[in-house]
Amino acid sequence: MTRTAADRRPGSVTARVPAKVNVQLAVGGRRPDGFHDLANVFLAVGLYDEVTATPADTLTLTCAGPDADQVPLDGTNLAARAATALAARHGLEPRVHLHIAKDIPVAGGMAGGSADAAAALLACDTLWGTATPRSELLSLCAELGSDVPFSLVGGAALGRGRGELLEPLETGGTFHWVFAVADGGLSTPAVYKECDRLRDASGQGATTADIPDPEPSPALLAALRTGDPAALAASMSNDLQAAAVSLRPSLAATLAAGKEAGALAALVSGSGPTTAFLTADAEDADRVAAALRASGTCRAARTTTGPAPGATVLANTL
Ligand code: ATP
């Protein structure tokens, strides 16, 4: 189709992107480079950020939402880094304004920054008409951070290596979740460091020589495939949970409150401090969320479902 001058009027593109929970996060020993190999089973869930890209003279950023004051608005923002990387790939200047409507808790273990990077890539690719092939978008995502490729893809996936080697997983139904948002965040590197410290302190050691290679749980993959919440609850695990609770002991009370209220399983989401509760159905999710709010052990409790689709262009007013 021929583009007219009217088509080229400055407009904007909005991409929506989900948060994630790790239904399994198996952490290998510390590698000589300081990173850890993972067996990371991601599930995208229906808490979303939206990134709107609008033409501008230079790269600028704004952010709105309950945690907006904790989001950096300079070149360290992952959405800004994504726009810069995409522009460089195509020999362009990143002349764009990015607005982040933020609903994913910041530094909450739900990959909010990674989500914004994936949304910014998709929105800018559409705005600039650069039509980057999906495989190239995925490799840009992997360069930006180990959780970014999953934010683009969504659904459910197994991440190996540092989490960036993704294999999509089949899911057999919708799972019902409650997320308890904590006050303040936890730094992901600090949680890995605490995991190493706890492993050393227990006498088992913390290096790849001491810890078996992380492997996905066959029972967990089967539970995802069949859509069976009780089987998923019985097989979920997070090797970072002890470290997150050690750094934030109050999480133990949140986990206990959700379980007492009838959640099938409770676990820390990724590196925390958000906690995740799997329930049998939507009614149970509402009940668990109400009990968590009443318990006074969290800032907010949100119900949602997963799997959710990956980054998607919602609105395009070009
Ligand atoms: P993960 O689950 O991937 O470990 P997280 O959910 O714990 O990440 P993020 O919300 O991604 O954490 O934020 C981690 C830090 O990254 C923040 O404290 C903030 O300083 C920085 N950051 C950079 N860009 C963003 C962004 N777009 N949104 C939120 N935080 C960002």
Side-chain angles (χ1 to χ4, degrees), residues 55-296:
D57 291 338
T58 57
L59 178 56
T60 51
L61 274 176
T62 49
C63 182
D67 288 349
D69 58 338
Q70 296 162 51
V71 175
L73 296 178
D74 57 13
T76 66
N77 190 297
L78 273 169
R81 289 183 45 213
T84 303
L86 182 72
R89 175 72 54 112
H90 294 286
L92 300 172
E93 289 296 321
R95 297 186 198 284
V96 66
H97 175 73
L98 297 174
H99 178 72
I100 304 172
K102 193 144 203 55
D103 197 35
I104 303 175
V106 174
M110 299 194 78
S114 303
D116 297 345
L121 271 184
L122 201 60
C124 290
D125 192 46
T126 307
L127 182 72
W128 297 334
T130 34
T132 312
R134 189 82 171 167
S135 59
E136 265 185 56
L137 280 181
L138 279 169
S139 77
L140 274 171
C141 286
E143 286 164 27
L144 289 162
S146 49
D147 286 351
V148 184
F150 179 69
S151 298
L152 189 70
V153 170
L158 169 63
R160 305 301 294 261
R162 286 169 54 195
E164 78 288 7
L165 309 167
L166 271 192
E167 183 191 318
L169 294 173
E170 215 184 299
T171 49
T174 299
F175 296 98
H176 295 270
W177 293 91
V178 182
F179 291 92
V181 182
D183 271 320
L186 274 176
S187 141
T188 303
V191 176
Y192 275 96
K193 218 168 138 200
E194 180 67 359
C195 174
D196 289 342
R197 192 189 70 75
L198 290 175
R199 283 173 168 178
D200 273 326
S202 75
Q204 71 177 142
T207 69
T208 46
D210 308 311
I211 306 285
D213 286 342
E215 291 297 336
S217 150
L220 178 113
L221 299 182
L224 281 176
R225 235 180 357 255
T226 55
D228 179 344
L232 183 61
S235 51
M236 293 197 303
S237 65
N238 179 359
D239 285 354
L240 292 181
Q241 178 152 322
V245 175
S246 168
L247 294 177
R248 188 71 68 83
S250 61
L251 294 182
T254 320
L255 292 166
K259 271 202 242 163
E260 269 162 37
L264 297 173
L267 90 170
V268 169
S269 177
S271 54
T274 306
T275 42
F277 303 86
L278 180 61
T279 63
D281 52 34
E283 290 72 37
D284 274 6
D286 286 340
R287 229 184 335 269
V288 168
L292 281 164
R293 285 180 204 118
S295 75

Side-chain angles (χ1 to χ4, degrees), residues 1 3-14 53-55 122-130 313 315-318:
M1 193 178 76
R3 293 187 108 194
T4 65
D7 288 330
R8 287 192 213 105
R9 262 200 320 255
S12 65
V13 178
T14 299
T54 311
L122 201 60
C124 290
D125 192 46
T126 307
L127 182 72
W128 297 334
T130 34
V313 171
N316 178 345
T317 62
L318 293 182

